[in-house]
Amino acid sequence: MTDTALLMEKLAEGGAAESLAPHLQVALFMGALALLSTALVTLTAFTRIVIVLSFVRRALSTQEIPPTPVILGMALFLTLFVMGPTLEAINEYAVRPYLDDQITGAEAVTAGTTALQTFMLQNTRKDDLLAFIELANVEAIESPDQTPLRILIPAFVTSELKTAFIMGFCIYVPFLLIDLVVSVVLMSLGMMMMPPVVVSTPFKLLLFVLVDGWQLVVQGLSESFHS
């Protein structure tokens, strides 16, 4: 991220992006698209959301229902919903002023990075952040806002993975209890050759529908982020 900011600063010093050769503009645009998927996974709420939704599908034992494209699409739009305030801040303080020629490219990158950094700091566990600071052997950081992105990003991703697995565990427990009850009942009836998952899946679906599971999952995911 530091190299990208430096490149943008050099471009800003040399002139506007429109002054570049057309083939160079295309190359920069394609390079930005190549990094877009990586940024979506590592800099936003997408990781936590898609993992929790995948846990829900596995806990229900419904194989490929909902289909993977549906899970990814739902995770994407939930990410846009959760990241709404951050995206509005980026648009207000970085994109719009840059398009209106009020700030340079380097200043726009700095403003946008600051908004993303604020979101990541609010959703990163202190233990994970301190662990990466110690691993990097950096000097004492006076405030969290001064944390370099090369430290903040892996700490944020690690924290998201930890939170997602904790939420996945909480989702798994009630469905695991249903599997255990069904297994005990089948064994007591002497139906040892009957796979418990065949019998337990309808009960899982019934429980999930009765408690309005998707709404609870989406609400829990939205409220788990600090805005």
Side-chain angles (χ1 to χ4, degrees):
M1 298 298 294
T2 304
D3 296 336
T4 304
L6 182 59
L7 175 61
M8 293 299 296
E9 185 176 359
K10 290 182 178 180
L11 291 176
E13 292 176 354
E18 291 78 2
S19 63
L20 298 175
H23 65 276
L24 186 55
Q25 294 182 24
V26 173
L28 290 175
F29 178 73
M30 296 302 294
L33 287 181
L35 296 176
L36 183 61
S37 60
T38 303
L40 174 65
V41 173
T42 57
L43 304 180
T44 67
F46 184 82
T47 298
R48 182 190 306 186
I49 294 173
V50 74
I51 290 177
V52 172
L53 293 179
S54 300
F55 268 117
V56 172
R57 184 172 67 178
R58 286 186 173 273
L60 289 172
S61 302
T62 53
Q63 301 300 325
E64 295 299 323
I65 301 175
T68 300
V70 175
I71 294 293
L72 293 177
M74 188 175 182
L76 177 60
F77 283 100
L78 278 178
T79 301
L80 294 177
F81 175 76
V82 171
M83 298 290 297
T86 303
L87 295 177
E88 291 176 0
I90 293 175
N91 181 60
E92 181 178 357
Y93 298 109
V95 177
R96 190 175 299 171
Y98 176 72
L99 294 178
D100 294 338
D101 294 329
Q102 298 177 358
I103 58 177
T104 63
E107 293 173 341
V109 171
T110 301
T113 302
T114 301
L116 272 177
Q117 187 176 14
T118 301
F119 172 80
M120 288 189 289
L121 283 172
Q122 291 174 343
N123 294 278
T124 302
R125 297 172 183 268
K126 294 181 180 179
D127 295 340
D128 295 327
L129 187 59
L130 291 175
F132 277 94
I133 291 176
E134 293 178 359
L135 289 174
N137 284 328
V138 297
E139 298 180 358
I141 299 177
E142 296 181 359
S143 64
D145 296 338
Q146 298 178 355
T147 305
L149 287 178
R150 67 183 181 90
I151 296 176
L152 178 58
I153 292 176
F156 171 73
V157 175
T158 303
S159 180
E160 287 293 281
L161 289 173
K162 183 184 299 184
T163 303
F165 272 72
I166 292 175
M167 296 180 69
F169 172 78
C170 296
I171 291 172
Y172 246 102
V173 169
F175 298 111
L176 179 60
L177 294 177
I178 294 178
D179 285 331
L180 292 176
V181 171
V182 171
S183 298
V184 171
V185 172
L186 291 178
M187 290 183 63
S188 64
L189 295 176
M191 303 173 62
M192 299 180 182
M193 300 302 294
M194 173 70 73
V197 67
V198 175
V199 181
S200 64
T201 298
F203 290 100
K204 292 180 181 179
L205 292 176
L206 179 61
L207 173 64
F208 196 71
V209 171
L210 289 177
V211 300
D212 201 358
W214 287 116
Q215 181 180 352
L216 292 177
V217 170
V218 171
Q219 183 178 354
L221 278 170
S222 302
E223 294 177 350
S224 67
F225 291 95
H226 302 282
S227 57

